[in-house]
């Protein structure tokens, strides 16, 4: 791993008064600065590794505008540009560059350098909102640091939706005081729609300005300060070519001062224009000269100041800003009244966005808004008089007494704590040794409490067992939530396991594929890049995107794939044919087409498209199947059939799934003549509930065999199958449907049973059978998939052909005639693998795959040979090895070796020919023809 500290992007105005906060953030994180519109640090005071998000299309977007500026300069004889001027103009031109540049740049940066959090400091520009909204879409936490100006905080952390609702953009907002928090909350429709707010104190160095007031400039004059906004008041023309356009706020300010001088003739005035140092240092002296010329028209002399705030604000008697300036908070701390000029444009924005509520300072009576239609002099005189008489200071003292004075150093630590607690850990120590904890992501298609099926419960239990072994485990699964942004990631906790819900609800995209959804890929890529997992363990990808496996591999994580059903080679997942019976497998595309598109035979275009879809699905998933570092089959059956279907991986092994042990309850006492037979499972055709009821009906036709009691436990969808089951149960004797059940209910249910029946049409290696054996209950189950690996006929249970109700009824007759038959069976659970044992076995593979290369013993260095010759030798070796296995009759192992060869050289004609021969031996003529055709094409 590259770094020890998580990467945090900081955005906003970067000035000396932020130094304490930035030093603390820099100490805790690897800090990167975001420069979207030319807000360069004053003199770049912070030695922070910077990264400008805006890198694309700025020059192209600015060429035409730059030519226009050149013509203006030539016409008005303005001094030539410097390189620094060009940089500033480039940064200003970002305002005209579409926001997608920020989005794409952040995504690319995040992909290469996973970002833990985004922090915006005291700013509400549109590019910063774009930055925060993009971070939200990538699952990156965002924190806005306000400092006393609640309207700015509201604008920065919120946006107005089309339906008029104000919603937060930033996830968290840091405010100065509890009072400010309450006033900021008032801007939202309800507290539920507001972002999380944290009272951290003033993390900026505004208090330093107050301390500077102990040695203020001598107060021989009335000090009136004008602070034009760098962003709004100083547009490009007004900043660089101010003599071309009169600035309305400036004109109104000087007119106000002139009239106040006339009204207060006994007072001597000093007028100060505070400029941003970036303007005067990098653009030229014309900015200051513009304000001097404007003042001279009113017979005023002005002082142009671009120094630190502490040099002028403590001595001010009145501060005038050209818009809603953040300087107002520092002015309040220094007990200086503020007049803010809201231009018609700014007022229209506020009106349009319905954000006309007064700010915190205005509520306190220490900030006043003036507009074009007001008499500025008449409005300003009472305010200035109140300041000169000391009355205004008393008002400020009353409000300041309500605010806890938190030092800037403490506040900076508080803000950093908020960021650290919410930031995603993006980096791990550079070197880790086997035995240390792994960071594991479990990906599954569903999870409790949404679903309690086998794979979901297995994932939950495995996560708990891996946590017991000391690993950091997160479970990622999809949800459909219309109250969350599409493709967002939300963290939660379930039974002590960290879970992340990936919202796949998208109103504009209703069609979803069961194996490939490209819209999910980039969100997953960014999520994975941000979290630095050691292992991504795919439990099931149904309804997600198989390409996630390739993405995980591409990002350098160890990829572990678990298969516990036939998803990869059966579009219906469980090998069930169109008639609802058991299917022998995907012998040909014709067979799969009949099963999948049986209702579309009358449409030629659909037939062609159907074949194309099935062929693409199989080829694509076969390619994906080769990517994982390890593929785990839950049963021998599943591995053999996967290989037979053309799904190969060079590291494909059987690790039988373990079960979570539980304490078996003693058998409940029933009538000596009565045996209890139970069905547990979802009320679905695949689970064989209809065959079970048919078998009961066949059995009960002969009354002398009616000594069996039948119990049914099963959740349902309240569909036609459920209604049929309820109806038929009512017509049968001694059959009781007990409703649904939860995993915790199984021990109690098993204690009621003498025999468990699993008549499934489609299964693999079911947990329920092994749990029954653990509880000492024998089982009668369909002879399909991995069930014969669990149930041994005549030893711990019975096997019967799937869908054969007559055969199952025969088993009922046997145990009814001879109840001791069940007693002679030995359903012992001592030999069953536990979830803890499986977790340790998987852990060993994780370590082997993750650290195998780093801990391997050094090998002797061979003599130099060409790379091409070494590769050819390896191909020849693999071909001879695969050919030998095929000749020996070990077709599955031979195909696995040949598949590894094709990974090295996909167009190796002899291998394609041999694989076609193997498919021919297996009776898969369609696949054989495909391989032979490829062999001929590559040979030619």
């Amino acid at each position: 791993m590259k770094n020890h500290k998580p990467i945090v992007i900081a955005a906003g105005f970067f000035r000396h008064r932020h130094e304490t906060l930035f030093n603390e953030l820099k100490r805790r994180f690897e800090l990167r600065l975001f420069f979207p519109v030319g807000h360069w640090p004053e003199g770049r005071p912070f030695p922070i590794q910077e990264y400008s998000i805006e890198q694309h299309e700025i020059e192209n977007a600015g060429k035409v505008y730059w030519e226009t500026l050149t013509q203006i300069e030539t016409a008005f004889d303005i001094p030539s540009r410097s390189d620094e001027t060009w940089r500033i103009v480039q940064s200003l031109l970002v305002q005209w560059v579409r926001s997608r540049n920020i989005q794409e740049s952040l995504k690319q940066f995040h992909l290469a350098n996973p970002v833990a959090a985004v922090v915006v400091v005291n700013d509400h520009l549109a590019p910063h909102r774009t930055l925060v909204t993009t971070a939200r879409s990538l699952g990156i936490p965002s924190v806005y640091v306000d400092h006393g100006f609640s309207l700015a905080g509201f604008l920065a952390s919120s946006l107005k939706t089309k339906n008029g609702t104000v919603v937060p953009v930033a996830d968290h907002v840091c405010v100065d005081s509890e009072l400010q928090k309450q006033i900021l909350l008032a801007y939202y429709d309800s507290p539920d729609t507001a972002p999380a707010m944290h009272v951290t104190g003033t993390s900026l160095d505004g208090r330093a300005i107050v301390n500077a007031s102990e040695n203020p400039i001598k107060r021989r004059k009335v000090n009136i300060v004008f602070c034009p906004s760098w962003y709004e008041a100083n547009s490009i023309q007004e900043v660089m070519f101010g003599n071309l356009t009169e600035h309305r706020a400036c004109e109104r300010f000087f007119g106000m001062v002139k009239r106040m001088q006339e009204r207060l003739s006994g007072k001597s005035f000093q007028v100060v224009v505070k400029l941003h140092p970036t303007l005067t240092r990098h653009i030229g002296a014309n900015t200051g000269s513009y304000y001097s010329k404007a003042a001279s028209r009113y017979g005023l002399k002005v002082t142009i100041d671009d120094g630190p705030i502490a040099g002028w604000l403590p001595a001010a008697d009145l501060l005038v800003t050209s818009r809603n300036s953040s300087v107002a908070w520092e002015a309040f701390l220094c007990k200086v009244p503020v007049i803010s000029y809201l231009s018609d444009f700014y007022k229209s924005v506020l009106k349009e966005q319905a954000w006309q509520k007064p700010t915190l300072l205005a509520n306190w009576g220490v900030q006043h808004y003036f507009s074009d239609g007001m008499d500025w002099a008449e409005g300003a005189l009472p305010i200035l008089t109140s300041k000169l008489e000391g009355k205004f200071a008393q008002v400020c003292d009353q409000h300041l007494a309500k605010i806890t004075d938190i030092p800037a150093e403490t506040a900076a630590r508080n803000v950093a704590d908020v960021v650290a607690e919410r930031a995603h850990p993006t980096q791990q120590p550079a070197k880790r040794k086997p035995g240390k904890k792994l960071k594991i992501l479990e990906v599954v298609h569903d999870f409790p409490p949404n679903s309690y099926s086998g794979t979901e419960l297995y994932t939950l239990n495995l996560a708990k067992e891996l946590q017991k072994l000391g690993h950091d485990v997160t479970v990622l699964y999809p949800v459909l939530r219309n109250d969350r942004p599409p493709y967002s990631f939300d963290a939660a906790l379930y039974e002590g396991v960290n879970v992340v819900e990936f919202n796949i609800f998208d109103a504009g995209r209703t069609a979803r594929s069961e194996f490939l959804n490209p819209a999910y890929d980039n969100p997953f890529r960014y999520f994975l890049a941000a979290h630095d997992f050691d292992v991504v363990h795919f439990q099931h990808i149904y309804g997600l995107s198989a390409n996630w496996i390739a993405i995980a591999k591409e990002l350098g994580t160890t990829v572990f794939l678990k298969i516990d059903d036939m998803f990869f080679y059966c579009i219906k997942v469980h090998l069930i044919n169109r008639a609802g019976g058991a299917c022998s497998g995907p012998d040909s595309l014709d067979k799969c087409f009949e099963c999948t598109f049986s209702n579309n035979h009358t449409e030629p275009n659909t037939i062609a498209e159907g074949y194309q879809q099935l062929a693409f699905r199989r080829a694509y998933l076969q390619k994906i199947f080769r990517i994982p570092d390890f593929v785990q089959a839950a049963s021998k059956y599943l591995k053999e059939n996967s290989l037979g279907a053309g799904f190969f991986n060079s590291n494909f092994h059987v690790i039988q799934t373990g079960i979570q042990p539980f304490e078996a309850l003693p058998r409940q006492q029933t009538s000596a003549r009565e045996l209890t037979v139970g069905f547990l499972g979802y009320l679905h055709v695949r689970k064989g509930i209809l065959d079970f009821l048919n078998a009961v009906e066949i059995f009960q036709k002969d009354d002398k065999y009616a000594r069996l009691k039948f119990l049914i436990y099963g959740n349902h969808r309240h569909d036609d199958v459920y209604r049929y089951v309820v109806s038929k149960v009512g017509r049968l004797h001694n059959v009781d449907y007990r409703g649904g059940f939860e995993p915790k209910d199984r021990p109690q249910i098993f204690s009621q049973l003498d025999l468990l029946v699993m008549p499934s049409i489609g299964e693999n290696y079911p947990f329920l059978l092994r749990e029954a054996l653990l509880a000492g209950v024998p089982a009668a189950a369909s002879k399909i998939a991995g069930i014969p690996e669990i149930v041994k006929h005549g030893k711990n249970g019975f096997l019967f052909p799937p869908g054969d109700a007559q055969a199952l009824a025969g088993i009922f007759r046997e145990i009814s005639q001879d109840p001791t038959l069940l007693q002679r069976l030995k359903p012992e659970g001592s030999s069953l693998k536990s979830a803890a044992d499986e977790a340790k076995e998987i852990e060993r593979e994780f370590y082997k795959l993750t650290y195998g290369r780093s801990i391997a013993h050094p090998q002797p260095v061979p003599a130099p040979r060409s790379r091409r010759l070494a590769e050819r030798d390896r191909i020849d070796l693999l071909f001879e090895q695969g050919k030998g296995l095929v000749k020996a009759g070990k077709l599955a192992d031979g195909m696995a070796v040949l598949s590894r060869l094709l990974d090295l050289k996909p167009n190796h004609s002899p291998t394609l020919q041999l694989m076609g021969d193997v498919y021919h031996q297996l009776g898969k003529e369609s696949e054989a023809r495909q391989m032979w055709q490829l062999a001929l094409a590559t040979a030619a």
Side-chain angles (χ1 to χ4, degrees), residues 484-505:
R484 297 178 185 174
Y487 315 134
S488 61
F489 297 87
D490 293 278
L493 195 68
Y494 182 80
E495 293 189 6
V497 176
N498 291 320
V499 298
V500 174
E501 296 178 344
F502 173 54
N503 186 26
I504 62 174
F505 178 83

Side-chain angles (χ1 to χ4, degrees), residues 26 245 426 629:
K26 184 178 66 173
T245 306
T426 58
D629 299 291

Side-chain angles (χ1 to χ4, degrees), residues 146 200 361 498 653:
D146 196 12
T200 57
L361 301 180
N498 291 320
H653 301 279

Side-chain angles (χ1 to χ4, degrees), residues 127-265:
H128 294 122
R129 278 213 236 164
T130 302
L131 176 72
V132 172
T133 53
T134 304
R136 189 181 187 91
S137 70
L138 299 176
I140 304 172
S142 56
V143 178
Y144 177 81
V145 183
D146 196 12
H147 72 139
F149 210 78
S150 52
L151 180 60
F154 174 69
L155 292 172
S157 60
S158 310
L159 57 82
K160 193 176 180 66
T161 61
K162 292 181 179 179
N163 63 5
T165 304
V166 176
V167 297
V169 176
D171 302 310
H172 303 271
V173 176
C174 296
V175 297
D176 294 338
S177 64
E178 186 66 32
L179 183 59
Q180 182 189 356
K181 173 183 174 180
Q182 296 304 319
I183 294 178
L184 186 54
L185 285 172
Y187 286 105
Y188 294 89
D189 298 326
S190 71
D192 295 335
T193 62
M197 294 192 187
H198 311 270
V199 178
T200 57
T202 302
S203 57
L204 308 182
D205 295 320
R207 295 287 178 179
I209 300 170
V210 182
N211 297 332
S213 64
E214 297 175 359
N215 298 299
I217 300 173
K218 293 182 180 180
R219 293 184 174 276
R220 297 177 180 177
K221 298 182 179 181
V222 177
N223 296 309
I224 310 294
V225 180
F226 176 58
C227 185
S229 169
W230 189 81
Y231 172 64
E232 182 192 62
N234 298 310
S235 65
I236 288 182
Q237 292 91 340
E238 291 164 339
V239 171
M240 300 186 66
F241 320 109
N243 55 343
L244 300 178
T245 306
E246 290 186 348
H247 183 272
R248 287 182 298 173
C250 175
E251 295 292 321
R252 288 187 168 277
F253 169 72
F254 290 134
M256 177 193 74
V257 174
K258 179 67 175 177
R259 289 190 59 192
M260 286 198 301
Q261 277 188 323
E262 295 170 354
R263 296 284 297 272
L264 301 174
S265 57

Side-chain angles (χ1 to χ4, degrees), residues 222-226 249-265 267-273 294-295 298-302 318-320 339 370 375-378 380-381 384:
V222 177
N223 296 309
I224 310 294
V225 180
F226 176 58
C250 175
E251 295 292 321
R252 288 187 168 277
F253 169 72
F254 290 134
M256 177 193 74
V257 174
K258 179 67 175 177
R259 289 190 59 192
M260 286 198 301
Q261 277 188 323
E262 295 170 354
R263 296 284 297 272
L264 301 174
S265 57
K267 300 287 184 179
S268 178
F269 280 66
Q270 175 174 296
V271 183
V272 178
V273 176
Y298 293 87
L300 300 174
K301 292 183 178 181
V302 297
L318 181 64
L319 171 68
V320 179
I339 293 174
F370 285 6
D375 186 331
W376 280 35
E378 290 297 327
L381 276 172
L384 179 61

Side-chain angles (χ1 to χ4, degrees), residues 457-647:
L457 293 175
Y458 166 80
T459 304
L460 174 61
N461 291 331
L462 179 64
K464 290 179 178 179
E465 294 299 333
L466 290 172
Q467 283 182 336
K468 292 177 183 177
L469 293 173
H471 302 297
D472 182 359
V473 184
T474 301
V475 176
L476 172 66
Y477 69 100
V479 295
L480 285 165
R481 296 287 300 270
N482 59 7
D483 59 339
R484 297 178 185 174
Y487 315 134
S488 61
F489 297 87
D490 293 278
L493 195 68
Y494 182 80
E495 293 189 6
V497 176
N498 291 320
V499 298
V500 174
E501 296 178 344
F502 173 54
N503 186 26
I504 62 174
F505 178 83
D506 186 349
R509 181 178 177 273
T510 55
R512 299 180 182 88
S513 165
E514 96 286 355
F515 80 101
L516 186 61
N517 291 284
Y520 305 167
D521 289 350
N522 272 342
F524 179 73
R525 185 189 305 275
Y526 302 133
F527 171 81
L528 206 58
H531 290 79
D532 193 29
F533 291 103
D534 297 296
V535 179
V536 180
H537 191 179
F538 289 95
Q539 295 289 348
H540 215 301
I541 57 172
Y542 183 87
L544 291 170
S545 184
N547 200 39
W548 283 15
I549 295 174
I551 291 170
K553 183 71 171 180
E554 173 191 331
L555 294 181
T557 59
T558 296
V559 180
F560 200 100
L561 174 63
K562 161 78 179 305
I563 55 170
D564 58 4
D565 56 33
M566 302 79 175
F567 165 80
F568 276 87
Y569 55 89
C570 176
I571 197 169
K572 291 189 174 181
V573 180
H574 294 288
L575 289 180
I576 300 176
N577 60 33
R578 56 178 295 193
C583 173
S584 59
D587 303 325
S588 67
L589 285 179
D590 294 334
K591 181 179 179 181
C592 293
F593 181 86
E594 284 288 328
C595 183
T596 308
F597 301 102
S598 58
N599 296 326
N600 298 325
H601 280 181
T602 58
E603 301 178 29
N605 291 337
T606 303
I607 293 175
E609 291 173 2
Y611 272 97
Q612 185 178 15
Q613 291 174 21
L614 290 173
F616 170 76
R617 184 185 190 277
R618 179 177 298 183
Y620 181 82
L621 291 179
Q622 284 175 340
K623 180 179 178 181
I624 290 293
F625 203 83
R626 295 172 180 168
I627 293 175
D629 299 291
F630 190 100
V631 177
Q632 172 195 359
S635 67
K636 297 176 183 177
Y637 163 87
L638 195 52
K639 178 183 178 181
E640 293 171 357
N641 278 265
S642 297
L643 292 172
F647 286 82

Side-chain angles (χ1 to χ4, degrees), residues 321-333:
T321 67
S322 63
R323 71 180 186 107
N324 230 2
S325 174
S326 59
V327 182
W329 178 248
E330 281 82 2
F332 165 61
L333 296 176

